[in-house]
Amino acid sequence: MTADSAKSAFPPDIERLRYVRLAARPWYSLLLIAPALLLFHVGMLFTNKSAIPMAPDDMGKLLEFFGASLTYLPPIAVVLVLLGQHLAHKDTWRIYPDILGCMAIEALLWMLPLIALSEFTGLLAAGDSVATPGAFDMLMVAVGAGIYEEFVFRLVGLGLLGLILIDLINVPKKVAVPVAVAITALAFSLYHPQNVQDGTFLWGAFLFRTIAGGYLGTLYLLRGFGITAWSHILFNVYVVLIQNHLWS
């Protein structure tokens, strides 16, 4: 493939390096994640929420702990944080559909190592599900977990740890970044109750989620929230379709 033909895959006024930069920015993350966010909250109107653990519910409880109580506050928080970041960066408001299409392909490709890791650690063979709701319910959990776990552990968690380690404690950035990724990866794994089943600690599941948390944290830092969240969603959907239970 020649350089000219490679560039033709993008809008004529956007070079490949501009795609790499814009695709990681908050505005395109919001555009990419908005359909999934809408699908999840509309779909939740038709699910049995009492039968399944929900990451958005945990996020809502956390916000209520700090005095924030409002219907649909979690999705509002996601939108406002991404819009706030967009305004702070002073990025363009233009929408290039080609960029969104390439972002979707990227998310699919970045999801593949998660599948390989799950096979290596035996996650899918463990059968470590805490509930067996219907397929539609599980698909809604897959979408919601991908969005809100990435929002809490990566977008907010890494941001807060970076603020504490770099700005307040003056830890060198080259040290603070891997430390923050490791802390959020461990917290991400421990957050999941599926790490324990029938009183037995599932080391394969714990190892998978810890490594996956580190992988997703690194992906977030390199490619932004939208691509990372969709990679998480796609892996969750893969598990639902393949094994009929959910890693979330």
Side-chain angles (χ1 to χ4, degrees), residues 107-120:
L108 179 63
L109 294 176
W110 288 118
M111 178 266 292
L112 298 179
L114 292 174
I115 295 178
L117 179 62
S118 68
E119 294 291 340
F120 177 77

Side-chain angles (χ1 to χ4, degrees), residues 49-89:
K49 292 188 288 186
S50 63
I52 48 180
M54 299 302 301
D57 291 343
D58 293 334
M59 179 178 165
K61 292 174 183 177
L62 178 63
L63 292 171
E64 289 178 4
F65 177 79
F66 289 101
S69 179
L70 181 68
T71 303
Y72 293 115
L73 186 57
I76 293 173
V78 172
V79 172
L80 289 181
V81 168
L82 291 173
L83 281 179
Q85 289 182 336
H86 172 70
L87 293 172
H89 293 155

Side-chain angles (χ1 to χ4, degrees), residues 8-243:
S8 67
F10 300 92
D13 58 338
I14 292 186
E15 298 177 356
R16 185 172 304 184
L17 290 179
R18 285 199 67 201
Y19 161 74
V20 172
R21 180 181 66 84
L22 289 178
R25 304 305 273 179
W27 175 235
Y28 277 93
S29 288
L30 178 58
L31 292 174
L32 188 69
I33 210 67
L37 197 61
L38 179 63
L39 171 67
F40 171 72
H41 285 282
V42 171
M44 285 306 298
L45 299 175
F46 306 97
T47 62
N48 180 13
K49 292 188 288 186
S50 63
I52 48 180
M54 299 302 301
D57 291 343
D58 293 334
M59 179 178 165
K61 292 174 183 177
L62 178 63
L63 292 171
E64 289 178 4
F65 177 79
F66 289 101
S69 179
L70 181 68
T71 303
Y72 293 115
L73 186 57
I76 293 173
V78 172
V79 172
L80 289 181
V81 168
L82 291 173
L83 281 179
Q85 289 182 336
H86 172 70
L87 293 172
H89 293 155
K90 298 180 180 179
D91 290 331
T92 178
W93 290 91
R94 292 188 66 180
I95 300 174
Y96 296 98
D98 292 39
I99 288 183
L100 294 172
C102 290
M103 289 173 70
I105 295 173
E106 258 203 87
L108 179 63
L109 294 176
W110 288 118
M111 178 266 292
L112 298 179
L114 292 174
I115 295 178
L117 179 62
S118 68
E119 294 291 340
F120 177 77
T121 57
L123 176 78
L124 299 183
D128 59 331
S129 177
V130 297
T132 55
F136 179 78
D137 289 357
M138 290 191 293
L139 287 172
M140 289 301 99
V141 176
V143 175
I147 298 171
Y148 286 107
E149 289 179 1
E150 292 312 308
F151 180 79
V152 170
F153 291 101
R154 256 60 74 174
L155 197 154
V156 175
L158 286 175
L160 287 177
L161 284 173
L163 177 66
I164 293 171
L165 294 173
I166 298 173
D167 297 328
L168 298 182
I169 306 180
N170 294 320
V171 176
K173 187 174 181 180
K174 64 181 180 180
V175 176
V177 170
V179 168
V181 170
I183 291 174
T184 54
L186 183 61
F188 173 72
S189 186
L190 292 174
Y191 167 76
H192 291 82
Q194 297 97 319
N195 288 331
V196 178
Q197 185 181 60
D198 299 329
T200 302
F201 192 83
L202 301 174
W203 285 103
F206 174 78
L207 179 63
F208 167 79
R209 294 188 176 98
T210 301
I211 298 175
Y215 172 78
L216 291 168
T218 303
L219 181 60
Y220 166 77
L221 293 175
L222 294 175
R223 302 304 299 131
F225 175 75
I227 290 173
T228 306
W230 263 107
S231 296
H232 191 158
I233 291 170
L234 290 171
F235 178 76
N236 285 353
V237 171
Y238 166 81
V239 175
V240 171
L241 296 178
I242 295 299
Q243 188 152 344

